[in-house]
Amino acid sequence: MFQTFVFSCLCLLYLTGAFCVEIYETHTISAMEGDSVILHTDVTDLQRDNVLLWTFGPQDAHIAKINRVHNEMFHNGADGRFRDRLELDSQTGSLTITNVSTELNGLYKVEIVIENKVSSKNFIVKVYAHLPIPVITRYCPQNPPSSVSRYELLCSVVNVSRVTFSWYKGNSLLSSINVSDISSSVSLHLEVEYQDNNTYSCVLNNPISNQTQHPDITQLCQIHSDDYVHYYGFTEAVIRLALSALVGVAAVAVLVYDVNSR
């Protein structure tokens, strides 16, 4: 799990009725599906007269609350997405979200009333799906073995979103595409010289993880000995047949000439 600050700390104070509101920094927290995310309030000990409220999304839907007598209250949300996923620390008010999924992406806010002063803190949670392992396939030219000079590599992944998909030669980036919306299939092509000794890699990554596949260049487009035998055996048979035909034609021509001359 990764946590960053989107904005530096804001120290804005203004009066709203009898309350003074402090707005603190906004945090961005990145996590993988299945992880647990902790949203810290930075409060060490809530008192009996303190009130705490956690909300989610642009509509500020209530998801957790501690009232003045420390009774904890939870809300699963209208669609039940938070069911059995919330844990609230009654001492600090920090919220733990377990087994996170991409449907829990969004803005979380906490407001704490302490001695007629409201402290507010915001969190942006970004949950990323686990990355599949890229699959590399090859396409070899349909030419005689002696004329094979280049072949094509195809690196593919399925069902990905919010990722970058790239080909590298060593540490040098050769090509790259960004996938924002979920895509059923994404592929990247690469042409490689025959007997190329460079190290290539196909990389799929998001901000917190990556999957890398290396093609085995030594095993790509190899022509086996039986392929040579088959190719050259077939070629030799064709040549023999052609020579036999030429000899036959020549023999007939000589015979016709000899008959006509008599």
Side-chain angles (χ1 to χ4, degrees), residues 47-69:
Q47 303 301 310
R48 290 187 60 85
D49 61 345
N50 298 154
V51 177
L52 177 144
L53 176 65
W54 281 99
T55 62
F56 170 72
Q59 304 302 321
D60 290 333
H62 294 187
I63 58 174
K65 181 180 181 180
I66 297 178
N67 65 14
R68 292 182 182 275
V69 291

Side-chain angles (χ1 to χ4, degrees), residues 27-230:
H27 296 261
T28 296
I29 300 176
S30 299
M32 296 294 296
E33 279 189 320
D35 289 348
S36 292
V37 172
I38 303 177
L39 309 181
H40 293 283
T41 62
D42 295 333
V43 174
T44 56
D45 190 12
L46 288 171
Q47 303 301 310
R48 290 187 60 85
D49 61 345
N50 298 154
V51 177
L52 177 144
L53 176 65
W54 281 99
T55 62
F56 170 72
Q59 304 302 321
D60 290 333
H62 294 187
I63 58 174
K65 181 180 181 180
I66 297 178
N67 65 14
R68 292 182 182 275
V69 291
H70 280 194
N71 291 328
E72 300 173 14
M73 301 172 57
F74 295 97
H75 301 272
N76 295 317
D79 54 4
R81 72 179 69 186
F82 292 102
R83 189 180 305 278
D84 300 325
R85 285 176 163 174
L86 299 179
E87 298 176 2
L88 190 60
D89 188 320
S90 60
Q91 182 176 355
T92 66
S94 295
L95 184 68
T96 299
I97 310 170
T98 62
N99 191 27
V100 295
S101 61
T102 54
E103 66 179 356
L104 301 184
N105 285 318
L107 176 64
Y108 294 78
K109 299 178 184 178
V110 61
E111 291 185 349
I112 308 173
V113 180
I114 301 176
E115 296 179 354
N116 292 335
K117 183 168 67 175
V118 179
S119 297
S120 178
K121 194 172 183 180
N122 298 339
F123 300 84
I124 297 175
V125 175
K126 296 181 178 181
V127 182
Y128 294 88
H130 289 277
L131 297 176
I133 299 175
V135 176
I136 298 177
T137 53
R138 67 183 185 274
Y139 296 92
C140 301
Q142 301 298 315
N143 295 325
S146 59
S147 63
V148 175
S149 60
R150 300 176 69 88
Y151 56 88
E152 184 181 14
L153 298 178
L154 181 66
C155 191
S156 305
V157 290
V158 296
N159 299 328
V160 293
S161 63
R162 296 188 298 161
V163 297
T164 301
F165 199 30
S166 311
W167 270 114
Y168 286 86
K169 181 170 73 173
N171 294 322
S172 300
L173 178 64
L174 298 177
S175 61
S176 180
I177 57 175
N178 292 316
V179 183
S180 54
D181 298 326
I182 188 166
S183 178
S184 58
S185 179
V186 183
S187 299
L188 268 182
H189 297 259
L190 179 68
E191 278 197 348
V192 180
E193 293 285 346
Y194 185 58
Q195 295 181 339
D196 190 336
N197 293 322
N198 288 297
T199 300
Y200 293 89
S201 56
C202 178
V203 180
L204 179 71
N205 69 282
N206 58 33
I208 62 175
S209 65
N210 71 81
Q211 289 281 10
T212 302
Q213 276 285 72
H214 299 280
D216 188 351
I217 300 299
T218 62
Q219 299 298 320
L220 298 182
C221 290
Q222 290 283 342
I223 306 299
H224 301 291
S225 58
D226 55 344
D227 296 326
Y228 280 97
V229 171
H230 173 76

